[in-house]
Amino acid sequence: MTEPALKLAQVEKTFGKVRAVDQISLDVGQGEFFSLLGPSGSGKTTLLRIIAGLETPGDGRVHVGGRDVTRLPPYARGIGMVFQDFLLFPHKIVAENITFPLKMQKLPASQKKEQLDWVLRLVRMEGFENRYPHQLSGGQKQRVALARGLVARPDILLLDEPLANLDLELRKEMEVEMRRFQAGLDIPFIYVTHNQEEALTLSSRMAVMHEGKFEQVGAKLDLYNRPTTRFVASFLGSPNHILGRIKRVEDEIAILDWKGLDLRIPVPSNAKNGDKIDYFLKHEKVLVQPLREADPPREKNRFECTLRDIIFKGQHSDYFVVLKNGEELVGSAAVDPQSLKIRQAVEVSWLPQAGDAFLAENN
Amino acid sequence: MKTFRHWHQNKNFHFALLTLPGALFLLIFLILPLISILVFSFWRTESYELIADWNIENYKTILGEKTYLTFIWRSLVMAVSVSLVCLIYAYPVAYLVAKRGGRYRLILVLLTAAPFFTGIILRVTAIQQILGPIGLLNMALQTFGLEPIQILMYSNVASAIGLVYLWIPFMMLAIYLSLLNFNFKLLEVAYVNGAKPWRAFLEVTWPLNWIGTAIGIVLVFIPTFAAFVTPRFLGGVNGALYGNILEHQFGATGTWALGSAMGVVLFVICLIFILIIWRTINLQRSGYTGEEF
């Protein structure tokens, strides 16, 4: 078993009374693309800064490349980092910006040149060596910042919301590029973001962070499809939120009273009759179709409703329906040419297991 | 379209009009005296009278006689050392205020200007009260049976201390204003990329704030080079600087023409100094982006 590239053991950081990072342990292996996803204030940036050495943890150990760096200053850690607003040195040309880490290591000029050429090719910025940062576009600045992080072939590369300041189109393009850069390297990327789409697109594994703690760590598809906590279920995929009470439990299935409608849901752990339940249902799991006469299979949830609005998003559309109990659900699907019309009576249906049920917080 | 252009030209014209009072003031009180000094410097004085007898004898005297060159050299050494001391003292303070001053920043900066609330003579006299033979410092030493510190009494060192005290607020302010626009996060970038703190300072902080620092140096250098009040009060008999003998020409000796030439030499030396400093400034190397703010 090889050493993990990054190992955190019970890392903790408190600011005043706020526990920004609370008992975090984590292993990240060679060549992994690991995302730290969380809303702002969840502690993800603080955790990244602890790894970089820009903050000292109150407790716990940080190992990088098998070396305990907990007490080392940032300049002795051999880490690469890409910052949110690029933070290129405005008074240095592109080549000087990129070779800055090599200059600090006092590498001979020939080797500096070699590594500069390699990294310029990697980020496709050949020919820009002599420009000043203010002569570059946002995307180009991003590439230079990335090149500076990679040029010294660090043990790990930390990325702090690197795409947050780019416009949507450029972000999509850079997401693809990032994956390409990373795929060819052994260097693991630790990527902090509040944008779940970015995290889901880029990473192999990810952690969802909330109030200083890891809610769930694992492969991204596991997190998306099998959330283990209420927070992850409510966060990933921005699902429909259904709040109801358990009427009764039948084996694997519980009957949920949702403001007068009976819903079939998987039984949440530790749930009993009368408990308040949060049931999260992702948009793409809700099937919206014209009303049908035929009886559906009994195990499916199926409700008549009215189509309130359709929002066209290109590859798919969001269908807003109003149920008999006055509540609203959103379903999303590719646009059907014989599509539905607004104010038309429709039906929605889904399997109980399509959603995730948890005990509500204030039961 | 025509009306728009008309309005536009009009607007520029109005702005030009607004600069008129200032321009007039500068012309009358700065440019004209300078020209007259330049003219007088090529005349000669006889029995306290200026005679329009064009010659370059004054310059020959200043640049040929060892006495005058010595005084120029003394003032130059004084100006360079006082600028350096101000720089070394002011930088950390300005840095601390800009970085950690928080909401008290403005008050802290204004405090450094507090000595300006009183006149220069008063402030120099105050220093005399501390450094002089019967000053606070030496009195205290004598109370403990110690010898007074000779070098602090009526010497060039005493003058230097006074000059540093007088001009340090300018240096502070110039560096502080520069650091105000400095992105301290760039230092974190340097640290993560392997730079020790002193290296990060040399690679990032210093070059990115060089313009402000250079302005501070010029603002201290010039008044120090021309100083005459401070050395007269603190320098003692042997502490006269170039400014003192320059002033002397307009006073007791009444050699206005020679004094004017000395003034021109002073002006030229300051100009050369500014030019040297200006040559060290490369806008792009200072992080200047060409963007309008």
Side-chain angles (χ1 to χ4, degrees), chain A residues 69-135:
Chain A
V69 299
T70 317
R71 296 286 158 226
L72 288 184
Y75 50 81
R77 291 195 176 195
I79 283 175
M81 188 161 176
V82 180
F83 295 82
Q84 184 171 356
D85 14 25
F86 318 132
L87 293 181
L88 300 179
F89 300 121
H91 59 304
K92 292 178 186 284
I93 56 172
V94 167
E96 291 168 331
N97 261 287
I98 295 177
T99 53
F100 185 85
L102 307 179
K103 188 177 172 189
M104 294 304 111
Q105 293 176 5
K106 299 191 178 69
L107 243 57
S110 62
Q111 206 176 336
K112 261 202 284 202
K113 178 88 179 71
E114 196 179 299
Q115 273 177 250
L116 174 67
D117 289 343
W118 162 73
V119 86
L120 280 171
R121 243 190 341 270
L122 181 73
V123 301
R124 296 185 182 155
M125 283 292 284
E126 301 111 313
F128 287 89
E129 293 92 326
N130 294 318
R131 299 263 188 109
Y132 280 95
H134 72 88
Q135 297 166 322

Side-chain angles (χ1 to χ4, degrees), chain B residues 19 33 35 44 63 77 83 92 105 112-113 128 132 147 151 165 172 197 208 213 222 239:
Chain B
T19 65
I35 290 172
R44 77 191 160 79
L63 301 174
V77 169
S83 302
R105 277 205 296 222
T112 68
Q128 213 178 10
E147 286 292 306
I151 201 163
Y165 161 71
M172 261 241 19
L208 280 176
T213 313
I222 290 174

Side-chain angles (χ1 to χ4, degrees), chain B residues 196-215:
Chain B
K196 293 189 172 112
W198 64 268
R199 194 73 203 267
F201 176 81
L202 289 181
E203 290 278 347
V204 182
T205 318
W206 179 262
L208 280 176
N209 292 290
W210 170 239
I211 294 184
T213 313
I215 290 172

Side-chain angles (χ1 to χ4, degrees), chain A residues 10 30-31 38 49 64 79 85 92 108 120 182 185 197 229 254 263-264 292 306 317 338 345 350:
Chain A
Q10 274 109 48
Q30 292 297 340
R49 289 172 61 81
V64 172
I79 283 175
D85 14 25
K92 292 178 186 284
L120 280 171
Q182 205 271 334
L185 301 165
E197 214 182 305
T229 71
L263 244 63
R264 299 166 65 78
R292 284 168 198 198
T306 318
S317 286
Q338 302 162 7
W350 69 90

